[in-house]
Amino acid sequence: MVLLKSPDGGWGWVIVLVSFFTQFFCYGSPLAVGVLYLEWLDTFGEGKGKTAWIGSLASGVGLLASPVCSACVSYFGARPVTIFSGFMVAGGLMMSSFAPNIYFLFFSYGIIVGLGCGLLYTATVTITCQYFDKRRGLALGLISTGSSVGLFIYAALQRELIELYGLDGCLLIVGALSLNILACGSLMRPLELSDSPLPEKSCLEKVADQYLIYHEKENVEENTSILEKDYNEEKCVNMSSRECKQDSILNKNGLISIHAKETDTYKQKVVEQTYFCKQLAKKKWQLYLNYWEETLFLFKNKVFSSLFIAILFFDIGGFPPSLLMEDVARSSNISEEEYVMPLISILGIMTAVGKLVLGVLADFKWINTLYLYVITLIMTGVALVAIPFAKSYILLAILSGILGFLSGNWSIFPYVTTKTVGIEKLAHAYGVLMFFAGLGNSLGPPIVGWFYDWTQTYDIAFWFSGLCVLLGGLLLLVAALPCWDNCNNQSAKPPPNIYSYTVAS
């Protein structure tokens, strides 16, 4: 059974719609956590670096677990994973409303909500890539705007809910809204399968079937011996003692020979079952080695190796503004009267615009998506370095809009990954890259917060962030230059995906 060709439309547009709302409901609160961050600072009185771990874990844990998320989506499918993850996100948000301290929030908001978001993101991206080929850039751009629209709306929504119902009531209501993910997941119909003959089972799978047959046979024989024993005991009770003794003497020699045969049969079964278990363990070990061998093969590509460094540095430096921009404005002594719109809302709406525009640009054949991604990285680094020089609301709003638009490059990142490694290795490569992205997301805001705790200013922190993003962008640019094309073309064949063993008779 193999997947049909991507329809590039039809039910695929329903998939795009429900994926949009899935990312809207799951990422709305974690991306707009900057509003909650200010409340947690005032409520628990912890340092900014320590408090920033809540939002960074919510965005980083799901990405760190991307290899596991990819495996779950590949094994169970996008629909079951989406429904299960919907319960995780809603439950984590509701549990956070009862948090007695910041450490409880690390688990409830950071780990549970973050892992649920990671599963949902992988599921929506994977099923969208299956349904679209020629229009993949547009489809990915549309679904990724869901998280940006969620950031724009949830930033104002959570602020209003905190004023009306307090922090606890806000988290309860936001958690209840996340239950709408269940309805979205139910519409994620898997891509239909073509009618082709089932592949013949491998030798090891046949061994597993034989093991089950022997196991069932052994159970049947055991039950039969128990029934015969009960029958003989009942018969002996009804007979006289003399007849019973005679019967036992007559059967004694026969029982000895039968016992010897049963002993030989039991030993043979033990040997066979031990052999079968060893073969199954060997199969699992080979699959594990195969995964790491394919991972090493991916890193032989210079562009892929540079891509994972670039995404790591980008998330270390580019993610903190979405979490800390409101606190940057408060630290710059900008009054509430100057606020026309929350900075996080500006960042969110421009991220949606950026994802859509960059996703459309990626579909043009004359545009190199890798160079487009590099340009966004370099411009992001420049904007981050300029943040310490912005001392007014207007300048911070302009920089927030620029950073938001450039962070829309998330919509073309799966596109870049697909062009680099191919669609057949997308799930594997994307899981590895998202692991490093999650590492950057987890470390970025705490590092910036610690810089502030040490220096009592955000200047050095954002200079460090900007240099990290610039370094990643320049490294990727060098690796993507045409002079490396001959080096990137691998002459060796990739490692095989299937291992089979000849089982001795």
Side-chain angles (χ1 to χ4, degrees):
M1 304 291 282
V2 295
L3 291 176
L4 291 175
K5 184 180 179 181
S6 301
D8 276 308
W11 191 259
W13 294 118
V14 178
I15 297 296
V16 169
L17 181 63
V18 297
S19 298
F20 172 90
F21 282 106
T22 297
Q23 294 200 15
F24 173 86
F25 287 115
C26 77
Y27 276 107
S29 180
L31 289 181
V33 72
V35 177
L36 304 176
Y37 172 75
L38 298 178
E39 298 296 326
W40 287 329
L41 282 175
D42 297 336
T43 302
F44 299 111
E46 301 286 352
K48 295 187 178 182
K50 190 174 184 179
T51 307
W53 273 109
I54 303 173
S56 63
L57 285 175
S59 298
V61 166
L63 297 176
L64 285 172
S66 287
V68 178
C69 296
S70 299
C72 291
V73 174
S74 300
Y75 187 79
F76 297 104
R79 177 188 286 171
V81 169
T82 301
I83 294 175
F84 175 77
S85 303
F87 283 111
M88 288 186 64
V89 173
L93 290 171
M94 292 180 181
M95 288 173 58
S96 300
S97 64
F98 303 100
N101 52 55
I102 197 172
Y103 301 102
F104 187 88
L105 287 172
F106 288 163
F107 172 73
S108 63
Y109 198 98
I111 296 178
I112 296 182
V113 176
L115 185 58
C117 291
L119 288 168
L120 289 169
Y121 181 78
T122 305
T124 53
V125 168
T126 301
I127 195 170
T128 302
C129 288
Q130 291 175 355
Y131 268 87
F132 287 89
D133 184 17
K134 296 179 181 179
R135 300 178 180 177
R136 184 175 297 150
L138 175 61
L140 291 174
L142 288 173
I143 69 168
S144 60
T145 56
S147 58
S148 304
V149 175
L151 169 58
F152 173 72
I153 294 178
Y154 272 73
L157 176 63
Q158 290 185 147
R159 185 188 296 271
E160 188 67 23
L161 290 175
I162 290 173
E163 293 180 359
L164 294 176
Y165 305 105
L167 180 61
D168 298 341
C170 170
L171 290 171
L172 281 174
I173 295 174
V174 170
L177 289 175
S178 300
L179 291 174
N180 288 284
I181 297 173
L182 307 181
C184 296
S186 64
L187 295 174
M188 290 186 179
R189 187 171 66 192
L191 193 62
E192 295 181 357
L193 301 174
S194 62
D195 296 331
S196 58
L198 291 174
E200 185 179 357
K201 288 187 176 181
S202 63
C203 297
L204 287 174
E205 290 174 337
K206 293 179 180 179
V207 168
D209 294 340
Q210 293 175 7
Y211 171 75
L212 294 175
I213 293 173
Y214 278 115
H215 187 66
E216 293 177 357
K217 183 178 179 182
E218 184 179 359
N219 292 336
V220 173
E221 292 178 352
E222 183 179 356
N223 294 334
T224 304
S225 63
I226 294 174
L227 293 175
E228 290 178 352
K229 182 179 179 182
D230 293 340
Y231 173 76
N232 291 331
E233 289 178 353
E234 183 178 357
K235 180 179 178 182
C236 189
V237 170
N238 295 331
M239 295 171 61
S240 62
S241 60
R242 181 178 179 182
E243 292 174 346
C244 186
K245 289 179 180 180
Q246 291 177 354
D247 185 64
S248 62
I249 293 173
L250 292 173
N251 292 333
K252 186 175 182 180
N253 295 330
L255 290 173
I256 293 174
S257 60
I258 293 173
H259 180 70
K261 293 180 179 179
E262 290 179 349
T263 302
D264 295 338
T265 303
Y266 176 76
K267 290 181 179 179
Q268 183 180 1
K269 289 180 179 180
V270 170
V271 172
E272 291 174 348
Q273 292 175 4
T274 303
Y275 175 74
F276 296 149
C277 291
K278 288 181 179 179
Q279 289 293 85
L280 291 174
K282 190 175 182 180
K283 174 187 175 183
K284 297 298 183 182
W285 177 249
Q286 279 299 85
L287 292 176
Y288 177 78
L289 292 178
N290 180 31
Y291 175 83
W292 286 108
E293 191 173 350
E294 289 182 353
T295 302
L296 292 176
F297 180 81
L298 289 174
F299 280 98
K300 291 181 180 179
N301 188 326
K302 289 183 174 59
V303 176
F304 181 84
S305 299
S306 301
L307 195 61
F308 97 86
I309 297 175
I311 192 65
L312 173 64
F313 286 170
F314 172 74
D315 281 276
I316 288 177
F319 177 67
S322 63
L323 176 61
L324 304 173
M325 191 59 77
E326 293 293 331
D327 193 51
V328 170
R330 187 167 71 172
S331 301
S332 300
N333 298 321
I334 297 176
S335 61
E336 294 288 340
E337 290 76 13
E338 298 182 43
Y339 269 68
V340 179
M341 182 184 297
L343 295 176
I344 296 182
S345 296
I346 297 174
L347 194 146
I349 194 62
M350 291 305 297
T351 301
V353 175
K355 287 179 177 179
L356 186 59
V357 172
L358 294 175
V360 172
L361 290 176
D363 284 332
F364 289 104
K365 295 182 180 180
W366 53 274
I367 292 181
N368 189 311
T369 53
L370 183 58
Y371 290 152
L372 179 63
Y373 185 75
V374 169
I375 291 173
T376 60
L377 293 182
I378 295 176
M379 294 180 66
T380 299
V382 174
L384 287 170
V385 173
I387 287 179
F389 300 101
K391 299 300 181 181
S392 65
Y393 172 80
I394 296 177
L395 291 177
L396 286 176
I398 293 173
L399 289 176
S400 297
I402 294 174
L403 288 172
F405 181 86
L406 295 174
S407 64
N409 60 8
W410 272 103
S411 65
I412 63 174
F413 188 74
Y415 204 98
V416 173
T417 307
T418 304
K419 293 296 183 181
T420 303
V421 301
I423 187 64
E424 66 279 356
K425 293 186 179 296
L426 173 62
H428 186 180
Y430 199 74
V432 174
L433 292 173
M434 288 300 100
F435 173 83
F436 291 101
L439 186 62
N441 267 0
S442 300
L443 296 177
I447 289 175
V448 173
W450 289 330
F451 270 117
Y452 184 90
D453 292 337
W454 294 334
T455 63
Q456 296 302 310
T457 179
Y458 280 113
D459 295 352
I460 298 177
F462 280 103
W463 288 338
F464 168 79
S465 299
L467 291 176
C468 283
V469 178
L470 281 173
L471 179 61
L474 293 175
L475 181 63
L476 183 58
L477 176 62
V478 172
L481 291 176
C483 61
W484 295 106
D485 287 345
N486 294 331
C487 298
N488 287 333
N489 292 329
Q490 300 291 333
S491 58
K493 294 182 179 180
N497 294 327
I498 300 176
Y499 291 85
S500 60
Y501 306 92
T502 303
V503 182
S505 59

